[in-house]
Short mmCIF file of all heavy atoms in Angstrom, two decimals:
data_model
loop_
_atom_site.label_atom_id
_atom_site.label_comp_id
_atom_site.label_asym_id
_atom_site.label_seq_id
_atom_site.Cartn_x
_atom_site.Cartn_y
_atom_site.Cartn_z
N PRO A 895 -6.43 3.74 -71.69
CA PRO A 895 -5.63 2.55 -71.38
C PRO A 895 -4.93 2.66 -70.03
O PRO A 895 -4.78 1.66 -69.32
CB PRO A 895 -4.63 2.45 -72.51
CG PRO A 895 -4.67 3.74 -73.24
CD PRO A 895 -5.97 4.41 -72.90
N LEU A 899 -5.42 -0.10 -67.09
CA LEU A 899 -4.29 -0.78 -66.44
C LEU A 899 -4.31 -0.56 -64.93
O LEU A 899 -4.08 -1.50 -64.16
CB LEU A 899 -2.96 -0.29 -67.02
CG LEU A 899 -2.64 -0.78 -68.43
CD1 LEU A 899 -1.38 -0.08 -68.95
CD2 LEU A 899 -2.44 -2.29 -68.43
N LEU A 901 -6.95 0.06 -63.15
CA LEU A 901 -8.09 -0.70 -62.65
C LEU A 901 -7.73 -2.16 -62.46
O LEU A 901 -8.07 -2.78 -61.44
CB LEU A 901 -9.27 -0.55 -63.61
CG LEU A 901 -10.58 -1.17 -63.19
CD1 LEU A 901 -11.09 -0.54 -61.90
CD2 LEU A 901 -11.60 -1.02 -64.30
N SER A 932 -17.36 -6.40 -51.16
CA SER A 932 -18.61 -5.95 -51.79
C SER A 932 -18.97 -4.53 -51.40
O SER A 932 -19.45 -3.76 -52.24
CB SER A 932 -19.76 -6.90 -51.44
OG SER A 932 -20.06 -6.84 -50.06
N THR A 976 -15.78 -18.50 -67.77
CA THR A 976 -15.16 -19.02 -68.99
C THR A 976 -13.65 -19.14 -68.81
O THR A 976 -13.02 -19.97 -69.46
CB THR A 976 -15.46 -18.14 -70.23
OG1 THR A 976 -15.00 -16.82 -69.99
CG2 THR A 976 -16.94 -18.15 -70.57
N THR A 986 -26.86 -20.23 -49.78
CA THR A 986 -27.60 -19.28 -48.96
C THR A 986 -27.50 -17.88 -49.55
O THR A 986 -28.50 -17.15 -49.62
CB THR A 986 -27.07 -19.28 -47.51
OG1 THR A 986 -27.14 -20.60 -47.00
CG2 THR A 986 -27.87 -18.33 -46.64
N ALA A 994 -33.86 -10.80 -52.44
CA ALA A 994 -33.73 -9.34 -52.57
C ALA A 994 -34.31 -8.86 -53.89
O ALA A 994 -35.02 -7.85 -53.95
CB ALA A 994 -32.26 -8.93 -52.44
N PHE A 1003 -43.44 -2.54 -57.96
CA PHE A 1003 -44.65 -2.69 -58.78
C PHE A 1003 -45.94 -2.83 -57.98
O PHE A 1003 -46.99 -3.07 -58.55
CB PHE A 1003 -44.49 -3.88 -59.74
CG PHE A 1003 -43.49 -3.59 -60.81
CD1 PHE A 1003 -42.24 -4.18 -60.76
CD2 PHE A 1003 -43.78 -2.72 -61.83
CE1 PHE A 1003 -41.29 -3.91 -61.74
CE2 PHE A 1003 -42.84 -2.44 -62.82
CZ PHE A 1003 -41.60 -3.04 -62.77
N ASP A 1011 -40.65 4.04 -50.66
CA ASP A 1011 -40.69 5.18 -49.75
C ASP A 1011 -39.71 4.99 -48.59
O ASP A 1011 -38.96 4.00 -48.54
CB ASP A 1011 -42.12 5.43 -49.26
CG ASP A 1011 -42.70 4.25 -48.49
OD1 ASP A 1011 -41.94 3.48 -47.87
OD2 ASP A 1011 -43.94 4.11 -48.50
N PHE A 1017 -36.79 -0.55 -44.17
CA PHE A 1017 -36.93 -2.01 -44.10
C PHE A 1017 -35.82 -2.71 -44.87
O PHE A 1017 -35.24 -3.70 -44.40
CB PHE A 1017 -38.32 -2.43 -44.64
CG PHE A 1017 -38.58 -3.90 -44.59
CD1 PHE A 1017 -38.65 -4.56 -43.37
CD2 PHE A 1017 -38.75 -4.63 -45.75
CE1 PHE A 1017 -38.89 -5.93 -43.31
CE2 PHE A 1017 -38.99 -5.99 -45.71
CZ PHE A 1017 -39.07 -6.64 -44.49
N GLY A 1023 -28.80 -5.11 -42.71
CA GLY A 1023 -28.15 -5.24 -41.41
C GLY A 1023 -28.30 -6.64 -40.84
O GLY A 1023 -27.36 -7.21 -40.28
#
Side-chain angles (χ1 to χ4, degrees):
L899 287 173
L901 185 62
S932 67
T976 58
T986 304
F1003 290 105
D1011 61 28
F1017 181 64

